[in-house]
Amino acid sequence: AQKITQTQPGMFVQEKEAVTLDCTYDTSDQSYGLFWYKQPSSGEMIFLIYQGSYDEQNATEGRYSLNFQKARKSANLVISASQLGDSAMYFCAMRGSYNFNKFYFGSGTKLNVKP
Amino acid sequence: EAQVTQNPRYLITVTGKKLTVTCSQNMNHEYMSWYRQDPGLGLRQIYYSMNVEVTDKGDVPEGYKVSRKEKRNFPLILESPSPNQTSLYFCASHRSGGVNTEAFFGQGTRLTVV
């Protein structure tokens, strides 16, 4: 069974500091992809970053990086130099090779950036 | 511009009154899905389609119908809405094959059934 777990329902971070959002996953697929999406208060889902299960390097996209620890089945999102506009809900998601049609989502983490 | 377009964005309806939420994508994607988002549960798949005339149930299909008559369109139909279908709905599309292609989401439809 595929499962994504995000254990932090809400987090606070001071503006300009770095923050790590946790994500662990469970899958029996050998090949899979891990994704992070941002959902601002306006509601849309914004793709942030992708990590493949066979990628040896951690993915980075601007201020976003993914701390991928395959043996621990974790794919934490690191946001550096937080900005007020980073306040949003963040979802970790996975797509496996056995079932291409589906993305499995965690329950999300609500991040609040304090000025 | 590559996009998935859902309509309407907001909808308040009464129990039992049939409604349709439209979804259209302009990226020629084979795969399209409907998800519902509920607090504490993340997004759960309702139905998906792998191509025209090919649809199948996701994790929470009860009370919903879909159709895929054209590649770009994937409407969600609630034949007899009930209050437990009050939720935020997303249509998504992505390319077939591989695990490395992200899903593109519509703007969401916030549905309230009273």
Side-chain angles (χ1 to χ4, degrees):
Chain A
Q2 320 269 27
K3 188 177 181 182
I4 296 281
T5 303
Q6 294 180 254
T7 57
Q8 306 154 312
M11 289 190 70
F12 285 92
V13 65
Q14 201 69 39
E15 193 178 8
K16 298 181 185 176
E17 292 184 350
V19 62
T20 298
L21 307 184
D22 294 342
C23 172
T24 58
Y25 61 91
D26 190 18
T27 181
S28 53
D29 289 352
Q30 295 300 306
S31 175
Y32 51 89
L34 296 156
F35 304 80
W36 278 91
Y37 285 85
K38 173 183 178 181
Q39 185 180 48
S41 58
S42 51
E44 71 269 29
M45 296 287 283
I46 302 167
F47 166 69
L48 295 178
I49 195 167
Y50 161 81
Q51 178 84 42
S53 58
Y54 290 117
D55 294 341
E56 294 185 353
Q57 303 266 21
N58 285 340
T60 60
E61 288 287 347
R63 295 186 297 111
Y64 304 108
S65 60
L66 203 153
N67 184 0
F68 180 47
Q69 298 189 47
K70 193 171 182 177
R72 293 187 176 188
K73 293 191 174 180
S74 74
N76 299 338
L77 178 70
V78 181
I79 306 175
S80 63
S82 298
Q83 301 172 357
L84 296 178
D86 294 333
S87 293
M89 183 73 86
Y90 289 81
F91 289 99
C92 180
M94 177 176 65
R95 183 183 180 194
S97 56
Y98 178 73
N99 196 357
F100 284 131
N101 76 78
K102 188 171 179 177
F103 286 75
Y104 295 85
F105 285 85
S107 54
T109 296
K110 181 78 165 68
L111 176 67
N112 285 291
V113 180
K114 298 185 292 185
Chain B
E1 179 190 357
Q3 60 185 5
V4 179
T5 304
Q6 278 178 244
N7 280 296
R9 290 290 310 275
Y10 301 92
L11 181 58
I12 300 174
T13 190
V14 296
T15 299
K17 186 176 181 182
K18 181 179 178 180
L19 66 92
T20 300
V21 184
T22 64
C23 174
S24 181
Q25 51 97 1
N26 64 0
M27 295 166 280
N28 202 36
H29 286 166
E30 293 83 6
Y31 283 82
M32 297 187 75
S33 293
W34 278 100
Y35 292 85
R36 61 177 287 173
Q37 180 183 349
D38 301 291
L41 297 177
L43 280 74
R44 294 177 294 166
Q45 192 183 51
I46 302 170
Y47 267 95
Y48 68 93
S49 170
M50 291 187 287
N51 216 319
V52 175
E53 303 291 2
V54 182
T55 63
D56 207 347
K57 297 177 181 178
D59 296 319
V60 288
E62 294 77 21
Y64 304 95
K65 283 177 57 177
V66 293
S67 68
R68 187 101 180 264
K69 293 183 168 50
E70 304 167 283
K71 196 172 186 178
R72 63 183 292 125
N73 296 324
F74 190 45
L76 179 69
I77 303 157
L78 284 72
E79 295 267 1
S80 183
S82 62
N84 65 11
Q85 292 178 298
T86 292
S87 188
L88 177 59
Y89 291 86
F90 285 100
C91 179
S93 75
H94 55 89
R95 285 187 283 118
S96 63
V99 298
N100 60 344
T101 54
E102 76 270 27
F104 292 79
F105 285 85
Q107 315 95 304
T109 295
R110 192 167 291 280
L111 172 66
T112 302
V113 183
V114 298

